[in-house]
Amino acid sequence: MGSIRVVARIRPQQDQGKEGECIVSTASINGVQPSQPNVVRIPNVKNENEVYSFQFSSVYDHSSKQQTIFDNEIAPTIKHLFNGFDVTIFAYGVTGTGKTHTMRGGKSLADRGIIPRLLSSAYRRCRKMEKDSAGRTSVGILLSYYEIYNDKVFDLLEPPEKRTSTGLQLRDNGGKTVVVGLTERPCESLKEFEKLYDHANISRSTACTKLNANSSRSHAILCFKVVVTTGDEVRVSTASAIDLAGSEDNRRTDNGKERLVESASINKSLFVLAKCVEALSQKQARIPYRESKMTRILSLGQNNGLTVMILNLAPSRSYHLDTISSLNFANRTKKIEVREIENEPVIKGLSRAIPTLMGPTIQRQPLRPLASNIRNTAVGDRAIFRQGDKPMRAFAVYSDKPRNSSVSIHPNKETSKHFSPLKRPSEVSTFSRPAKRRSPDRPHRSPISISKTTIEDMIEKKVTDILAARALDPSSTPSVPGISEEVKKRLEALEQKIDGQEDGREQGLTFLLMAKKYTLRGEDKSALRMFLQAREHFPENAKLAVKIERLQSKLKGCQDDDKGSDRITIVPASNTRAGKFTGKPPKSTDAEADTRYKGRQLIDDDYQEDETAPFSDGGYDSADSFRYRTKSKKASKKAISSGLEPNNETDGPDTPRTKRLLSIVNSRDVGQIRLLHGVGARRAEALLEALCGGEEGDGSCQVVVHSLAQLGHLRGVGFKTVEKMRSGLVGT
């Protein structure tokens, strides 16, 4: 096991006026020579006196040369490449820090980057190996070059017009990620490589931004395979040189619409790479490689071989935050462990094993294309087959048994066997597939046929026998647990509810609801009457008794207060319905004063609700809801409270409908009264209140209606309403 080697390189400062002063410095620790530093120092963004230090394998400042970096960091990996190890080299950094210059370089010999120098050293080593082996070893190089643009893979060795909108697909093969349909070109010399490489770089996606005149808009991956053949042994190793696109801050790059899409794709893939590095450094179980195609191809920590990371840094203050972010990423990357495993060689021309007579070791011949002469022979032999014979197969899958060439075809005999010329003889004719062991001859059994009726009779008989056995054996019968007292009480309560024994509860709840409405309106007498009616259905309710007691006390107190005050009177209005309260008695004769002003009783006599006014939804909020008028001398309160006498002159003998109507009214059942034609909820409440009226509102004096005329004289009813109620009972 080894770790990723991280090398930091600081580019020269370009324009001090635009980029600011240099804030990145190098140092040497742990006994390293001062000429080769290994520490990068950078101050804190918020506190200049605090300095961060990051230690790497090597650090190169702005004065370092391309040749120096290659000789110290890349050249030692070439011998491992030819010994069967895979090598991965990638450059990381923000945009404008010199990644492409480090990997590709310039045209001059001194400015050549890592990729041209790596291929040059590989070709020199190829020639050396072939020369030292005196021709027994041959070395070949296969080149492939592709880019990841907007998370799509495109082949750079193919012309751009052959690209598809979806790009090339990725597949897993033996633990490695491969690009399906990628072109591999053999390169025999360095000149041929430079020609292909320069032509492919023209197709790579680049653009101009505010921070970089030639910014890479894609991740470029150059792979070349080294194929070493020595006799029958073939060893393949792969070197990958990756030039990653730099992360961008769109506020600084001033990107347009197309550049913004590219920048978003680049930043997303680099963010996924940071997540993979974080998960690897913390040794998590899941590594999110598949969230981006770049991380899936790079596969840090999964590839078996040597990995070198070149961290490109900008020394200027304008890159301060980006530099610290890149240093933190590299510091986590150097902790990733990789398996340095040598690729196993492949042996050519391996002889086939001799098959045995037993088990799965028997080898079968694979498929191979049919020759044209065999096809023609098969067509000619079809003419000798009889019309009823089974058609011959046009292909041969396996042939395990040796073919006897001495057997001839006899078309005239029915027992003759036809051998297809498409089948090949087995290469090993001394062995054959072992025959199956034949069982001794058994007498032929005719199939048993059972009808559906027979099956049903058998099932019924079986079930009957089982039930009879259980009935005879009492121990097999499961004991039924007894029913507890609580369950019995619940069952009785449910039975009572179903049988209709709780019908009175519903009527009692109706009285309570009406009492609540009267209480909200301030009509305490009516509320008391409803509470008294509800007490008959809930005799043991303590709360109801408390409410009745409070209302009675309240009404009694009001009566005592009214008896002590003689100055407050009610003066009926002449032109308006609403009464007018004054502190002085009205001007009238002495006889009227003696009759109308006698304490609380005179006030009660002067005040009456409109008996014929229907109940409206507006309630008693307005002044027009009440009428103050003097009581007629002919009508008396005693007559209303004791009940109206039937009018024998207008009423004849009661009809069934009349009897039915009077029985419903005298039952005082709110539910039945509401169902009468022309009677609503409010009219039913008024009718029930008139039927249950008393002197003090306690329900002691109840009216019994004996005729339709008496019913029509009740408050809130009227003769038209009685006629509607009676006509509604036509079907009863």
Side-chain angles (χ1 to χ4, degrees):
M1 297 290 290
S3 59
I4 296 177
R5 182 177 177 85
V6 179
V7 179
R9 184 182 186 183
I10 305 171
R11 69 161 173 81
Q13 197 171 10
Q14 296 176 355
D15 190 354
Q16 187 173 358
K18 293 182 179 180
E19 297 183 350
E21 62 178 340
C22 181
I23 59 174
V24 181
S25 60
T26 61
S28 301
I29 60 173
N30 297 336
V32 180
Q33 298 179 2
S35 59
Q36 183 58 48
N38 60 349
V39 175
V40 177
R41 291 180 177 175
I42 185 171
N44 188 359
V45 179
K46 298 181 180 180
N47 186 7
E48 294 289 341
N49 297 325
E50 183 181 1
V51 179
Y52 297 141
S53 297
F54 298 89
Q55 183 178 357
F56 302 111
S57 301
S58 300
V59 176
Y60 297 89
D61 57 7
H62 60 87
S63 61
S64 59
K65 304 297 181 183
Q66 297 272 54
Q67 185 66 38
T68 305
I69 298 175
F70 178 80
D71 293 341
N72 296 339
E73 308 300 335
I74 308 302
T77 62
I78 297 177
K79 62 179 181 180
H80 297 286
L81 177 64
F82 282 85
N83 289 334
F85 292 91
D86 293 338
V87 177
T88 302
I89 305 166
F90 68 97
Y92 181 87
V94 299
T95 181
T97 54
K99 298 182 297 299
T100 303
H101 177 76
T102 301
M103 299 300 293
R104 188 195 304 180
K107 292 294 183 181
S108 63
L109 186 62
D111 291 340
R112 287 196 306 169
I114 290 176
I115 293 176
R117 295 177 187 273
L118 181 62
L119 267 297
S120 178
S121 300
Y123 281 115
R124 287 199 301 268
R125 194 169 186 87
C126 289
R127 292 193 295 269
K128 184 176 181 300
M129 289 181 64
E130 292 176 352
K131 183 178 180 181
D132 294 343
S133 63
R136 292 191 302 271
T137 301
S138 62
V139 183
I141 292 179
L142 299 175
L143 182 69
S144 60
Y145 193 25
Y146 58 96
E147 69 174 353
I148 304 176
Y149 177 72
N150 288 342
D151 208 32
K152 298 177 183 178
V153 181
F154 298 105
D155 193 351
L156 292 176
L157 297 181
E158 292 292 337
E161 55 269 13
K162 291 187 178 181
R163 292 184 178 182
T164 60
S165 59
T166 57
L168 303 178
Q169 302 299 320
L170 302 182
R171 296 290 183 270
D172 293 331
N173 183 17
K176 296 183 180 180
T177 302
V178 296
V179 182
V180 180
L182 185 63
T183 303
E184 287 187 347
R185 300 280 182 88
C187 292
E188 302 295 337
S189 62
L190 182 61
K191 290 184 178 181
E192 186 177 355
F193 161 74
E194 291 179 348
K195 183 179 179 181
L196 287 173
Y197 187 60
D198 293 340
H199 182 72
N201 284 326
I202 298 175
S203 302
R204 186 183 176 186
S205 301
T206 57
C208 178
T209 63
K210 193 174 180 180
L211 297 180
N212 193 354
N214 192 21
S215 176
S216 300
R217 315 308 297 168
S218 63
H219 308 295
I221 299 98
L222 179 108
C223 298
F224 66 91
K225 293 182 179 180
V226 179
V227 183
V228 182
T229 305
T230 304
D232 295 338
E233 181 180 296
V234 179
R235 188 189 301 271
V236 180
S237 55
T238 305
S240 301
I242 305 172
D243 179 16
L244 296 178
S247 59
E248 294 181 347
D249 187 355
N250 293 316
R251 295 171 296 181
R252 298 176 58 197
T253 55
D254 196 15
N255 289 331
K257 182 179 179 181
E258 185 177 358
R259 301 286 87 81
L260 283 174
V261 176
E262 298 170 352
S263 178
S265 178
I266 293 170
N267 291 337
K268 176 188 174 183
S269 60
L270 294 176
F271 176 71
V272 175
L273 178 61
K275 288 172 59 178
C276 294
V277 171
E278 182 70 19
L280 287 168
S281 61
Q282 296 180 0
K283 297 183 179 180
Q284 297 180 3
R286 178 185 178 276
I287 313 299
Y289 290 115
R290 290 183 172 270
E291 294 184 9
S292 174
K293 290 186 178 180
M294 186 268 289
T295 54
R296 189 175 175 186
I297 291 172
L298 188 58
S299 299
L300 288 179
Q302 281 192 337
N303 48 359
N304 302 327
L306 306 176
T307 304
V308 180
M309 172 184 170
I310 301 176
L311 176 64
N312 293 90
L313 302 173
S316 307
R317 182 174 294 276
S318 60
Y319 289 87
H320 199 164
L321 292 175
D322 295 331
T323 302
I324 292 178
S325 178
S326 300
L327 289 170
N328 288 326
F329 174 81
N331 193 42
R332 292 191 297 266
T333 304
K334 71 178 184 180
K335 301 176 184 178
I336 299 175
E337 297 180 351
V338 294
R339 297 183 298 271
E340 299 178 357
I341 301 175
E342 180 182 355
N343 295 326
E344 296 182 359
V346 180
I347 308 301
K348 296 193 307 180
L350 184 64
S351 58
R352 295 178 59 186
I354 299 176
T356 61
L357 295 176
M358 300 298 295
T361 57
I362 300 176
Q363 295 186 358
R364 298 188 175 188
Q365 299 179 8
L367 292 172
R368 67 182 182 184
L370 300 176
S372 60
N373 56 351
I374 297 179
R375 184 180 299 275
N376 296 334
T377 306
V379 173
D381 291 341
R382 290 174 188 171
I384 63 176
F385 293 156
R386 292 183 295 106
Q387 186 175 0
D389 290 342
K390 185 177 180 180
M392 185 173 51
R393 292 178 297 177
F395 58 91
V397 180
Y398 293 108
S399 177
D400 297 328
K401 296 182 180 181
R403 178 181 172 184
N404 189 3
S405 59
S406 61
V407 179
S408 60
I409 301 175
H410 302 282
N412 296 330
K413 294 183 179 180
E414 295 183 358
T415 59
S416 62
K417 295 183 179 180
H418 304 283
F419 292 94
S420 172
L422 302 177
K423 289 189 176 182
R424 297 169 290 151
S426 176
E427 295 180 1
V428 183
S429 60
T430 57
F431 300 98
S432 61
R433 181 192 292 265
K436 293 184 179 179
R437 184 179 300 174
R438 296 186 61 185
S439 58
D441 296 337
R442 296 179 181 179
H444 179 69
R445 296 180 180 179
S446 59
I448 301 174
S449 60
I450 302 176
S451 62
K452 182 178 179 180
T453 307
T454 307
I455 295 174
E456 292 178 354
D457 295 341
M458 294 171 63
I459 294 174
E460 185 178 358
K461 182 179 179 182
K462 189 67 176 179
V463 172
T464 304
D465 295 343
I466 293 174
L467 294 177
R470 288 183 180 180
L472 294 176
D473 188 5
S475 60
S476 62
T477 305
S479 60
V480 180
I483 302 175
S484 62
E485 295 295 332
E486 184 178 358
V487 176
K488 290 181 179 179
K489 291 180 180 180
R490 291 184 179 181
L491 291 175
E492 291 177 0
L494 290 175
E495 290 177 357
Q496 292 177 1
K497 189 173 182 179
I498 294 173
D499 295 340
Q501 296 181 7
E502 291 190 356
D503 294 341
R505 178 180 175 84
E506 183 180 356
Q507 190 171 1
L509 292 175
T510 305
F511 287 131
L512 289 176
L513 181 60
M514 294 171 61
K516 185 176 180 181
K517 291 181 179 180
Y518 286 132
T519 304
L520 294 176
R521 295 176 184 175
E523 302 178 14
D524 295 335
K525 287 186 177 182
S526 301
L528 180 59
R529 286 197 295 269
M530 294 298 105
F531 279 132
L532 292 174
Q533 292 292 332
R535 188 172 59 179
E536 297 178 0
H537 302 281
F538 305 104
E540 298 178 358
N541 195 321
K543 292 184 178 180
L544 181 59
V546 171
K547 289 182 179 180
I548 294 173
E549 185 178 355
R550 288 179 181 176
L551 281 176
Q552 289 176 350
S553 301
K554 183 178 179 181
L555 293 174
K556 186 177 181 181
C558 292
Q559 291 177 3
D560 294 340
D561 294 341
D562 293 340
K563 289 179 181 180
S565 61
D566 296 333
R567 299 183 61 186
I568 301 175
T569 59
I570 301 176
V571 179
S574 59
N575 297 327
T576 60
R577 297 181 62 184
K580 185 176 181 181
F581 293 90
T582 61
K584 297 180 180 181
K587 296 180 180 180
S588 59
T589 60
D590 296 337
E592 291 177 351
D594 294 336
T595 307
R596 299 181 59 187
Y597 297 96
K598 291 182 180 180
R600 174 66 180 169
Q601 186 175 2
L602 292 179
I603 296 174
D604 292 341
D605 292 343
D606 291 341
Y607 169 74
Q608 283 188 352
E609 294 181 9
D610 190 1
E611 297 176 351
T612 60
F615 287 87
S616 61
D617 295 336
Y620 298 95
D621 295 337
S622 62
D624 294 338
S625 300
F626 298 90
R627 178 167 32 166
Y628 296 85
R629 62 188 178 89
T630 58
K631 185 178 178 182
S632 176
K633 294 182 179 180
K634 297 181 180 180
S636 64
K637 187 175 182 179
K638 183 178 180 181
I640 297 176
S641 61
S642 61
L644 296 175
E645 295 297 333
N647 189 1
N648 297 327
E649 296 177 359
T650 58
D651 292 348
D654 293 339
T655 61
R657 278 190 293 173
T658 303
K659 292 180 181 180
R660 175 61 177 165
L661 177 60
L662 295 177
S663 64
I664 292 174
V665 172
N666 292 325
S667 67
R668 293 174 178 80
D669 188 351
V670 179
Q672 294 184 9
I673 294 174
R674 288 176 59 182
L675 296 177
L676 294 174
H677 182 65
V679 180
R682 295 186 179 275
R683 196 180 293 273
E685 294 175 3
L687 179 59
L688 186 64
E689 182 182 355
L691 292 173
C692 300
E695 284 293 333
E696 298 297 330
D698 54 355
S700 60
C701 182
Q702 296 184 356
V703 178
V704 178
V705 181
H706 299 284
S707 65
L708 298 179
Q710 186 179 359
L711 178 61
H713 284 87
L714 291 178
R715 184 179 61 183
V717 184
F719 294 101
K720 291 184 179 180
T721 305
V722 172
E723 185 63 26
K724 290 181 181 179
M725 294 162 58
R726 185 174 177 276
S727 61
L729 296 174
V730 130
T732 59

